[in-house]
Amino acid sequence: MTGAHWAETAQDAEFRQEVRTFVEERFPACYRPDPEAENSLEPEDVWGYDWPADRRSPDPERRAGAVAWAAALAEQGWIAPHLPAAYGGAGLSPVQEFVLREEMMRAEVPTVNGIGAMLLAPTLMEFGTEEQRRAHLPGIACGRTAWAQAFSEPDAGSDLAALRTTAVRAPAGPAGPEAYRVTGQKVWTSSAQYADWLFVLVRTEPDAPRHQGITFLLVDAASDGVTIRPIEDMRGATPFAEIHFDDVRVPVTQRVGEENQGWYVAMAALGFERAGIGAPVKFEQVLKRLVSQLRSAEGQGLVRADTAVLRHEIARRYVEVRAHYAVARLTAAGHGAGAVPGYEASVGQLLGAELHQRLAHTGARAFGPYAQLWQRSTAPMAAAFAHMRFDAVAATLLGGTTEIQRRLIATRGLGLPRS
């Protein structure tokens, strides 16, 4: 990447303080983390919060807190801060947005409408029509509509180009305007059960080469023929769902980009997803807590690893966290210089996924058998590393497997041949 300079300016530092003051003054006191909740698997989510679920919580206090926090951020244009003010954003630069996200993560307050704001909103700005922007961006920017990304399928997860959900063009008629009739299944869709809208990849030309013949559609989750079923993971949580489309009618006006060119739209969206700051800040925080625990009298009595070896391992984790942060900051600076997130975002995704697993094992190794305790009330660090080990299992699969990321880095970043 060329032309990217990411030293913090005086203006950036002033904005950082503005964000800190805003969070201290405006975060609702009633919106507290749920100590028994499993961590969301989305990198930008904060422990104890799940905003898409919280906004529909049966607990009136939690629901009110989620709604109030969205309203406070929307006043500043900070739900989708990169958007122009005309669409409900604040027109922040990529570096300012990076600072905003970083400070929210450090304050351990939740982002709002993460998938819609961080993935779909910039995608619509780049590929959407003006009609689509005006129809969907204000709802994202005020927290009125939540979105889910429906890409993966039972036989098309890592190999996304193998997707088989079909969309057949139907002419205008008594049933409505010209539309696509969508049939198929999606799986592992994060927070789909709480979404108002879905952005979906479908195959519109079955005989085209694998990466062609794919189209990007916006689908109302309440449409006739859409069925969403939560999937329980091995922790007992339901962070994602499967979606069935049974001849669902989607107006052609809800297509983003050209027909059969949806692969390129989707790759841009995934680039925005992989370029975030959430993971390195979360890893830094948990590493600091581990060190603090190990230095305490209680922690010293629980350690079951060789102290010298453990110190060396923790030092390695700290260096890796800082490298991960640097890549995220560099990617934001490059975006600010006009670059679309590319292979650098895949570097960040790869670093974060593998670091997640190594950090989980480091914490578990430190506490030995105590790290197997699952109940938060009776375990060191509230069983953080026992739960983190379960969370980390999926880290090298979510958002593209490590094999896929390495291939992208090799071909797009290093210019190596595909075979």
Side-chain angles (χ1 to χ4, degrees):
M1 179 186 297
T2 59
H5 178 68
W6 58 279
E8 187 156 290
T9 66
Q11 185 179 12
D12 295 335
E14 182 179 349
F15 180 67
R16 188 180 293 278
Q17 185 56 51
E18 179 185 346
V19 175
R20 290 175 181 173
T21 301
F22 171 83
V23 171
E24 290 173 1
E25 295 178 351
R26 298 297 303 276
F27 189 73
C30 65
Y31 196 15
R32 295 181 292 272
D34 180 354
E36 298 301 323
E38 294 298 339
N39 289 348
S40 164
L41 299 179
E42 294 299 318
E44 303 294 327
D45 287 344
V46 175
W47 174 80
Y49 296 100
D50 184 354
W51 183 82
D54 295 342
R55 68 193 274 262
R56 295 186 176 183
S57 173
D59 178 349
E61 187 173 58
R62 190 163 194 80
R63 187 170 64 249
V67 171
W69 180 228
L73 287 171
E75 285 179 19
Q76 301 291 115
W78 285 357
I79 291 178
H82 50 280
L83 292 178
Y87 302 118
L92 298 188
S93 70
V95 173
Q96 287 178 314
E97 182 180 6
F98 181 97
V99 170
L100 172 63
R101 301 295 185 200
E102 180 182 358
E103 288 304 315
M104 288 177 62
M105 293 299 300
R106 293 195 185 283
E108 299 185 352
V109 297
T111 56
V112 167
N113 221 348
I115 292 175
M118 296 179 198
L119 274 72
L120 183 64
T123 302
L124 287 181
M125 287 301 297
E126 186 170 346
F127 296 98
T129 65
E130 182 60 22
E131 180 182 11
Q132 289 169 345
R133 293 176 191 141
R134 294 197 176 279
H136 297 294
L137 293 180
I140 292 172
C142 72
R144 183 176 65 248
T145 53
W147 288 75
Q149 170 193 298
F151 285 4
S152 295
E153 298 185 4
D155 295 318
S158 299
D159 187 12
L160 185 57
L163 67 88
R164 294 188 295 183
T165 295
T166 61
V168 178
R169 196 86 169 246
E178 187 179 21
Y180 293 100
R181 310 295 301 207
V182 178
T183 300
Q185 180 186 2
K186 299 293 179 176
V187 74
W188 313 124
T189 305
S190 297
S191 300
Q193 64 269 46
Y194 307 116
D196 304 296
W197 281 78
L198 314 165
F199 50 103
V200 185
L201 286 185
V202 297
R203 187 162 295 284
T204 42
E205 180 50 69
D207 298 325
R210 281 162 41 87
H211 293 87
Q212 300 175 26
I214 293 173
T215 299
F216 191 110
L217 299 179
L218 309 178
V219 180
D220 187 338
S223 299
D224 290 341
V226 175
T227 303
I228 301 176
R229 298 191 183 98
I231 299 174
E232 184 174 300
D233 65 17
M234 62 184 177
R235 309 169 303 168
T238 53
F240 25 60
E242 62 177 344
I243 309 173
H244 292 268
F245 299 93
D246 183 12
D247 196 30
V248 178
R249 188 179 181 88
V250 181
V252 171
T253 54
Q254 298 295 353
R255 183 189 70 222
V256 179
E258 297 299 320
E259 185 172 287
N260 298 328
Q261 298 298 307
W263 179 261
Y264 308 102
V265 180
M267 291 304 101
L270 291 175
F272 293 118
E273 176 186 34
R274 295 167 182 156
I277 179 56
V281 172
K282 283 200 287 193
F283 296 158
E284 180 183 353
Q285 289 171 328
V286 75
L287 189 58
K288 286 181 177 179
R289 287 171 184 155
L290 173 61
V291 171
S292 177
Q293 174 78 1
L294 295 176
R295 284 175 172 170
S296 69
E298 177 193 16
Q300 290 175 18
L302 295 172
V303 173
R304 291 298 180 268
D306 181 286
T307 304
V309 173
L310 182 59
R311 285 176 177 169
H312 180 72
E313 190 169 340
I314 289 174
R316 287 178 64 89
R317 297 294 87 81
Y318 183 78
V319 170
E320 291 163 353
V321 166
R322 296 311 300 167
H324 191 198
Y325 177 91
V327 169
R329 184 70 190 246
L330 183 65
T331 302
H335 190 196
V340 175
Y343 75 92
E344 301 89 356
S346 289
V347 172
Q349 171 80 6
L350 178 62
L351 281 173
E354 296 190 342
L355 175 55
H356 191 176
Q357 294 181 344
R358 287 195 295 271
L359 184 55
H361 285 295
T362 295
R365 189 175 294 115
F367 296 117
Y370 291 107
Q372 298 181 40
L373 298 175
W374 187 256
Q375 296 299 321
R376 297 186 186 275
S377 60
T378 57
M381 288 186 64
F385 285 100
H387 289 254
M388 191 177 191
R389 288 178 72 185
F390 275 67
D391 299 344
V393 170
T396 49
L397 301 174
L398 293 171
T401 67
T402 54
E403 292 81 5
I404 295 293
Q405 304 307 334
R406 285 189 168 91
R407 185 184 305 166
L408 291 172
I409 294 165
T411 56
R412 298 182 185 179
L414 301 177
L416 298 177
R418 293 185 177 273
S419 59

